[in-house]
């Protein structure tokens, strides 16, 4: 019984702990996945960076369209799920278990996020320091206050950084 309680506590910690750095796991809805990739404006072979990749749904959709994809995930359980789900696309998709706020990001033509509103201003500042410009930011559900919006479709927002 002690092991069961330990495992339940560990799982709860994995899912609740990410709230401090980003957002809880909520899958991006299928219609918004298509819209997000459309707004990202990627060309075949370009890279999509997903900050908080969850189960890898966006990364898989990107790989199927011929893009490379790198996903960061703080929750070790979800990072493992994403890694397992994307193994078929291992030449195109890379999963990084870790805190994207504390890491250098690889070069990418577009970034996708589904973060909580309280993190959007911090994200805007981090992207302004991103050395690989230009880059498009695609955000599901939450806008960046004070940042000029380039497009919006189905609650998916596009920002261009130059």
């Amino acid at each position: 019984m002690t092991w069961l309680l330990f495992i339940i506590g560990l799982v709860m910690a994995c899912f609740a702990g990410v709230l401090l750095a980003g957002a809880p796991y909520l899958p991006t809805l299928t219609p918004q996945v298509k819209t997000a990739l459309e707004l990202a404006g990627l060309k075949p072979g370009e890279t999509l960076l997903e900050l908080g990749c969850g189960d890898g749904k966006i990364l898989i959709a990107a790989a199927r369209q011929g893009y490379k994809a790198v996903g960061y995930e703080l929750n070790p359980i979800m990072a493992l799920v994403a890694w397992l789900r994307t193994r078929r696309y291992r030449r195109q998709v890379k999963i990084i278990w870790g805190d994207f706020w504390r890491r250098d990001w690889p070069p990418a033509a577009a970034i996708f996020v589904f973060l909580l509103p309280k993190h959007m201003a911090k994200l805007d500042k981090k992207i302004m320091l991103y050395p690989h410009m230009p880059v498009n930011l695609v955000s599901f559900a939450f806008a960046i206050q004070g940042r000029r919006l380039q497009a919006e479709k189905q609650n998916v927002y596009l920002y261009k950084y130059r």
Side-chain angles (χ1 to χ4, degrees), residues 27-40 57-58 61 65 112 114 138-141 152-157:
T28 304
L29 304 172
T30 301
Q32 280 76 18
V33 171
K34 182 178 178 185
T35 300
L37 290 176
E38 175 186 312
L39 289 176
K57 185 176 187 176
I58 294 277
Q65 291 190 22
F112 176 81
F114 185 1
V138 179
S139 174
F140 176 49
E152 187 270 328
K153 185 177 177 184
Q154 294 183 321
N155 211 23
V156 179
Y157 304 97

Side-chain angles (χ1 to χ4, degrees), residues 131-147:
H132 310 289
M133 298 284 187
V135 66
N136 292 337
L137 171 66
V138 179
S139 174
F140 176 49
F142 302 110
I144 299 172
Q145 298 300 317
R147 168 70 54 188

